[in-house]
Amino acid sequence: MSFNNSQLNLLNFRPWLTALAIAWLLASLGLGWLVNSLLIIFGLILLAPVVAFFGFRWWLERNLVTDQCPICNYEFTGLNNSQMQCPNCGENVMVQKGHFQRFAPEGTIDVTAVEVPAQKLEE
């Protein structure tokens, strides 16, 4: 038995024609709400990954910070409002307001040392 081109094309559309016939049958029986709800669910399943992708990109653009370590000036990336370790020097840093700051535990006073040149006293 040999198939010609018109029969092969009809075989390719057979699943779509079956789905259309089932949808038409359900709509004619008063179950159009079922068809509509299935179409809405199918649309949401297709739309959800796209919305999630663009939402995640928007969140990353707002929360990803690239700055230099305040100790060794090594440039790296971190998430805003989080605590991490510098990959170069190992110093604990906290990301706040788009910049890296040294992390000091509660009750610690962080000071910056300044070198003062020595003066000789004459007798």
Side-chain angles (χ1 to χ4, degrees):
M1 182 175 177
S2 67
F3 291 112
N4 58 18
N5 268 347
S6 63
Q7 288 175 332
L8 285 176
N9 286 338
L10 185 59
L11 289 176
N12 290 337
F13 288 115
R14 192 172 187 181
W16 293 105
L17 292 175
T18 304
L20 184 64
I22 291 172
W24 177 76
L25 179 64
L26 288 174
S28 67
L29 292 175
L31 296 176
W33 61 271
L34 181 64
V35 173
N36 289 338
S37 63
L38 290 174
L39 288 176
I40 290 171
I41 289 172
F42 184 69
L44 287 176
I45 288 173
L46 290 178
L47 190 63
V50 174
V51 171
F53 174 75
F54 286 111
F56 184 66
R57 283 191 56 181
W58 173 80
W59 180 82
L60 270 181
E61 287 174 4
R62 291 185 53 126
N63 290 311
L64 210 57
V65 174
T66 301
D67 198 19
Q68 292 182 345
C69 174
I71 307 302
C72 66
N73 293 330
Y74 180 74
E75 188 171 322
F76 64 102
T77 303
L79 289 176
N80 207 11
N81 297 325
S82 65
Q83 178 186 346
M84 63 188 55
Q85 232 178 2
C86 174
N88 191 36
C89 67
E91 180 70 27
N92 287 333
V93 293
M94 182 166 255
V95 186
Q96 288 182 336
K97 298 177 186 172
H99 295 290
F100 293 146
Q101 299 173 352
R102 252 180 107 175
F103 175 72
E106 194 67 35
T108 304
I109 299 173
D110 193 14
V111 294
T112 304
V114 178
E115 190 174 327
V116 178
Q119 295 179 354
K120 290 185 182 180
L121 294 176
E122 292 184 33
E123 291 186 54

